[in-house]
């Protein structure tokens, strides 16, 4: 009888998987509505992964490509992460939908020789068309300039979105300069209406004409993303050059 891995939560399984990724791969947890987006560093190849402790219809629906997604950016491959030993008849359905099932072990029999998960990730030098079938998207998903410091596989996760990265940049600019102008909103692709005219007192007029400063109810974009906030602060000299400050 095949051994079954014993994970208490999907988060625990995702953590083991990410910890044991081979060299040359980067994991972006909870990005673009995927539990994990894996990126091959040498060429940007992407695998979108949904995680579940049981292979069921729900996770297959989450990972499968919908008709409206055909013309949108997406990953090169789509996969489902489950504990070792929990394949079932739905694995055949996954094959029909070109979804690769990845089984994760909680403890390999031989830590030196046995892999933590199967199958191995696609190697650009050894093409194996029977595993990780490609979807050939019109474009790959855009990736954040920083890796989200959030936990993959947790229920109702707090996600670092593209919008939140831009909002953090706005917050950093306000801290460093004390104010911003409407042009900064345009350059960050943020809605000035939301921040200035929503009636939430997120921002107030500054001392000089055209200046806007943080209001009493300006959101704390640092909360829950402390590491990412600090990283963007360190990268300020780089990304701020793209703005007309």
């Amino acid at each position: 009888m095949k051994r079954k891995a014993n994970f208490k939560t999907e988060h625990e399984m995702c953590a083991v998987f990410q910890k044991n990724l081979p060299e040359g791969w980067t994991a972006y947890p909870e990005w673009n509505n995927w539990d994990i987006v894996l990126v091959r560093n040498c060429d940007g190849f992407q695998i979108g992964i949904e995680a579940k402790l049981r292979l069921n219809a729900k996770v297959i629906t989450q990972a499968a490509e919908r008709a409206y997604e055909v013309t949108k950016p997406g990953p090169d491959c789509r996969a489902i992460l489950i504990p070792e030993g929990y394949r079932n008849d739905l694995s055949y359905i996954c094959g029909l939908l070109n979804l690769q099932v990845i089984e994760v072990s909680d403890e390999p029999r031989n830590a030196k020789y046995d892999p933590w998960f199967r199958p191995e990730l696609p190697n650009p030098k050894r093409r194996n068309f029977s595993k990780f079938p490609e979807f050939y998207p019109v474009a790959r998903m855009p990736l954040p300039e920083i890796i989200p410091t959030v936990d993959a596989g947790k229920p109702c996760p707090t996600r670092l979105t593209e919008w939140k990265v831009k909002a953090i940049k706005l917050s950093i600019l306000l801290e460093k300069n004390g104010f911003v102008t409407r042009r900064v909103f345009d350059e960050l692709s943020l809605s000035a209406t939301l921040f200035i005219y929503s009636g939430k007192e997120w921002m107030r007029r500054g001392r000089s004409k055209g200046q806007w400063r943080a209001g009493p109810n300006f959101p704390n974009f640092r909360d829950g993303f402390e590491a990412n906030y600090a990283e963007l602060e360190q990268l300020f000299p780089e990304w701020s050059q793209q703005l007309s400050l």
Side-chain angles (χ1 to χ4, degrees), residues 77-200:
C77 298
R78 293 166 178 256
I80 296 174
L81 201 68
I82 62 171
E84 179 187 22
Y86 282 88
R87 280 179 174 269
N88 55 37
D89 292 342
L90 290 176
S91 299
Y92 179 73
I93 304 298
C94 291
L96 293 176
L97 295 173
N98 291 324
L99 303 177
Q100 177 60 53
V101 177
I102 304 173
E103 293 186 74
V104 185
S105 173
D106 57 348
E107 187 178 359
R109 294 180 181 86
N110 188 317
K112 185 176 181 180
Y113 298 105
D114 291 341
W116 280 90
F117 59 86
R118 290 186 173 91
E120 66 176 335
L121 298 178
N123 187 324
K125 297 181 181 179
R126 297 196 306 270
R127 279 208 170 273
N128 185 341
F129 292 98
S130 65
K131 297 198 172 53
F132 294 96
E134 297 186 34
F135 281 75
Y136 301 105
V138 294
R140 288 172 177 157
M141 294 181 290
L143 298 171
E145 54 200 281
I146 53 176
I147 298 175
T149 53
V150 294
D151 296 324
K154 282 193 172 181
C156 303
T158 301
R159 288 189 167 98
L160 181 71
T161 62
E162 288 185 75
W163 183 90
K164 194 158 288 185
V165 170
K166 297 171 185 176
I168 290 175
K169 289 181 177 180
L170 177 67
S171 179
I172 293 172
L173 287 170
L174 288 168
E175 290 177 356
K176 290 185 176 296
N177 296 340
F179 69 91
V180 295
T181 64
R182 288 180 65 96
R183 179 178 291 184
V184 169
F185 287 98
D186 292 336
E187 293 173 341
L188 288 176
S189 297
L190 284 172
S191 170
T193 302
L194 173 63
F195 282 86
I196 296 174
Y197 300 118
S198 62
K200 299 177 181 180

Side-chain angles (χ1 to χ4, degrees), residues 34-47:
W34 291 94
D35 287 327
I36 301 172
V37 173
L38 276 188
V39 178
R40 195 165 58 195
N41 300 339
C42 65
D43 58 1
F45 187 90
Q46 296 180 354
I47 304 175

